[in-house]
């Protein structure tokens, strides 16, 4: 039986990925800061000794490194670099020291490493141009892999992953909640920036394929749909479907000073890897999130 070690296992992507891997009869050992399940241990990425002990005992075939502080607006800059950069270096060191066979590492980076670009669709060969500390930290982790030639690695750059069960600290679930509650006012930042939104089920499908297959032609893959939507588009879809039209207030507190105005991925490389299987329709995912939020309001 194939064995996968998964960091950040208790997060949005992690929870869905564990379910997907279990469905495929893959043994999974996850870690995060909370634990609470037999297959998820409470281990900090910064705890070298415990991380080394667990990985040495488990001897994974593949490691999927999801754990990170992933909010672009997270206020504690030093903690971003401590967890995302120092934590990754500790993980890489442990893998080099204790894995008896050559382990495959899937590093989850971010499309944020591209920042603002002149290209309409962001392909994997574009130069780095990160616009916030989270994206800078992920750029550093990509460079760090070059110091570990003993590891076989694939870098994944997800665009905006969305779906049922996502925390409301992120834009889409926050908008969905306001429409489900029929809030009279909706406070937002810039309305014009376009993002490439990807359904969580497609994301974990891609990650499970990368974990199991060895026929990758490239070392870096976007996870994207190739279609962009602005905040205006999202509000329009939710208003049309729900029949609710809140007052839209552009709040300076939510306006980013260093905005990336369009971030839409080029899925060419990804689609070649999965034989043309595309992401599900954005509108369907958005409506699924709305219906779930409406039916599960406290």
């Amino acid at each position: 039986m194939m064995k996968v070690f998964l960091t950040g296992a208790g997060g949005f992507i992690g929870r869905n990925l564990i379910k997907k891997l279990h469905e495929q009869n893959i043994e999974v050992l996850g870690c995060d800061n909370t634990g609470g399940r037999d297959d998820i241990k409470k281990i900090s990425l910064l705890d070298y000794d415990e991380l080394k002990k667990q990985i040495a005992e488990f001897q994974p075939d593949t490691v999927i490194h999801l754990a990170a502080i992933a909010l672009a607006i997270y206020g504690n800059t030093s903690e971003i670099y401590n967890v995302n950069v120092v934590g990754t270096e500790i993980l890489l060191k442990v893998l080099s020291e204790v894995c008896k066979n050559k382990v495959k590492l899937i590093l989850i980076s971010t499309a944020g490493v591209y920042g603002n670009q002149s290209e309409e669709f962001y392909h994997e060969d574009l130069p780095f141009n990160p616009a916030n500390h989270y994206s800078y930290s992920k750029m550093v982790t990509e460079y760090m892999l070059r110091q570990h030639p003993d590891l076989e690695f694939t870098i994944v750059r997800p665009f905006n992953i969305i779906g049922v069960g996502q925390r409301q600290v992120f834009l889409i679930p926050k908008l969905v909640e306001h429409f489900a509650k029929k809030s009279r006012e909706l406070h937002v930042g810039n309305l014009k920036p376009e993002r490439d939104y990807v359904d969580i089920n497609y994301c974990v499908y891609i990650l499970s394929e990368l974990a199991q297959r060895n026929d990758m032609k490239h070392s870096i893959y976007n996870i994207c749909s190739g279609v962009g939507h602005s905040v205006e588009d999202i509000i329009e879809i939710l208003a049309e479907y729900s029949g609710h039209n809140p007052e839209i207030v552009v709040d300076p507190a939510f306006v980013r000073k260093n905005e990336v105005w369009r971030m839409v991925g080029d899925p060419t490389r990804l689609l070649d890897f999965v034989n043309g299987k595309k992401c599900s329709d954005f509108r369907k995912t958005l409506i699924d999130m709305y219906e779930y939020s409406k039916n599960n309001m406290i």
Side-chain angles (χ1 to χ4, degrees), residues 69-80 83 133-134:
I69 293 175
L71 275 174
I73 58 172
Y74 191 79
N76 191 330
T77 302
S78 61
E79 192 174 353
I80 290 174
V83 172
H133 286 294
Y134 167 60

Side-chain angles (χ1 to χ4, degrees), residues 14 16 21 38 40 43 46 55 68 79 82 90 95 101 124 127 136 151 187 196 200 206 208 212-213 231 269:
N16 285 277
L21 295 174
D38 290 341
I40 302 180
I43 310 170
L46 302 173
I55 292 176
E79 192 174 353
N82 199 33
I90 290 171
L95 295 179
N101 300 312
E124 291 87 346
Y136 271 111
L151 298 176
H187 288 246
D196 189 328
I200 181 63
I206 297 299
S208 68
Q212 296 174 79
R213 289 168 52 181
V231 178
R269 187 179 291 186

